[in-house]
């Protein structure tokens, strides 16, 4: 029903930058919020940043001032990551919360993720 495809991950040196993209498709009626979460090896998935339909953003303390989440008018979300640190190494997953057509059922969808590796 909903497909989320992330891209933009890769290997970068500490202090570098990457921009992740998330493209959503499917029978989406409306999007309440989109977000980025990450999961490092051996750790639980954690919130990185979210953005609501009204543009309100929320960030994990560990990324404030370094990462910026944004959306465009289409069903895409982005995560600009600057001043990357080795501890940012993780698989980054896109999340979408919203409503589907035709029955306006709620959806909480996840992408498969994109790997970000930051070398020291």
């Amino acid at each position: 029903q909903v497909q989320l495809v992330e891209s933009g991950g890769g290997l970068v040196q500490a202090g570098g930058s990457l921009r992740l993209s998330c493209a959503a498709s499917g029978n989406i009626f409306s999007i309440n919020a989109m977000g980025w979460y990450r999961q490092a090896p051996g750790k639980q998935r954690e919130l990185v940043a979210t953005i609501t339909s009204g543009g309100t953003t929320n960030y994990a303390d560990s990324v404030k001032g370094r990462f910026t989440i944004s959306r465009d008018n289409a069903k895409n979300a982005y995560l600009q990551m600057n001043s990357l640190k080795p501890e940012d190494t993780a698989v980054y997953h896109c999340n979408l919360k919203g409503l589907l057509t035709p029955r306006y059922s709620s959806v909480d969808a996840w992408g498969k993720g994109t790997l970000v590796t930051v070398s020291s």
Side-chain angles (χ1 to χ4, degrees):
Q1 291 177 321
V2 175
Q3 295 78 40
L4 299 177
V5 178
E6 303 98 334
S7 61
L11 174 63
V12 64
Q13 288 188 335
S17 298
L18 284 175
R19 186 175 189 248
L20 305 184
S21 299
C22 173
S25 62
N27 53 324
I28 300 169
F29 173 74
S30 65
I31 297 175
N32 296 333
M34 294 185 74
W36 290 93
Y37 293 73
R38 67 187 180 187
Q39 186 165 17
K43 296 188 177 181
Q44 291 187 334
R45 187 174 296 186
E46 63 176 3
L47 178 146
V48 176
T50 60
I51 183 167
T52 68
S53 58
T56 300
T57 57
N58 180 51
Y59 295 92
D61 288 342
S62 59
V63 306
K64 283 181 181 177
R66 300 188 298 122
F67 291 10
T68 303
I69 189 171
S70 62
R71 277 189 58 194
D72 59 21
N73 291 330
K75 302 170 187 174
N76 301 315
Y78 307 94
L79 185 69
Q80 178 66 43
M81 305 186 295
N82 299 328
S83 302
L84 282 161
K85 304 175 181 180
E87 50 264 43
D88 294 319
T89 295
V91 176
Y92 284 71
H93 297 270
C94 181
N95 174 258
L96 180 152
K97 293 179 175 59
L99 297 176
L100 302 178
T101 61
R103 300 183 183 277
Y104 308 111
S105 55
S106 62
V107 61
D108 186 353
W110 292 90
K112 293 182 179 180
T114 184
L115 177 63
V116 172
T117 304
V118 184
S119 64
S120 59

